[in-house]
Amino acid sequence: MRIKEGFVLREVCGERVIVGEGLGAVNFGKLLALNETAAWLWKQAQMMGYFSIAELAEKLCEEYEVTAENAQTDVANIIGEWQKVGVVE
């Protein structure tokens, strides 16, 4: 999967949020707040271009002290939220 074109991570009033920019995000019309870990994962996904839950979970394990099982679950939950709001495809 990959991040849909037109969605970017911004800092707004001290919060990290995904916002839609341009024509690709016309129907988005809202902000999606991310915690520190989710924002870090978003940046990793952007750098990778195409990514999988397993690849992001592996990167999470490398960066943070988390078990592979917990990383897989956490990443799957975060990606699930991104899919619900339509910022990844």
Side-chain angles (χ1 to χ4, degrees):
M1 70 189 76
R2 68 182 181 94
I3 294 170
K4 282 187 180 178
E5 193 171 324
F7 292 100
V8 295
L9 180 66
R10 296 275 188 248
E11 189 163 324
V12 178
C13 298
E15 296 285 328
R16 289 169 297 275
V17 295
I18 296 171
V19 296
E21 294 183 335
L23 293 176
V26 167
N27 293 327
F28 189 61
K30 60 183 171 183
L31 302 176
L32 177 62
L34 302 181
N35 66 22
E36 180 182 332
T37 305
W40 183 86
L41 286 169
W42 181 270
K43 290 176 187 176
Q44 297 305 305
Q46 278 185 311
M47 286 189 290
M48 294 169 72
Y50 286 89
F51 59 89
S52 69
I53 290 171
E55 290 168 325
L56 285 179
E58 184 177 324
K59 289 196 171 286
L60 189 63
C61 287
E62 293 170 2
E63 183 70 17
Y64 294 93
E65 290 186 26
V66 61
T67 66
E69 183 179 325
N70 286 342
Q72 186 82 18
T73 299
D74 292 347
V75 170
N77 288 337
I78 290 167
I79 297 297
E81 289 299 315
W82 294 352
Q83 288 173 321
K84 281 183 195 174
V85 297
V87 296
V88 294
E89 55 188 5

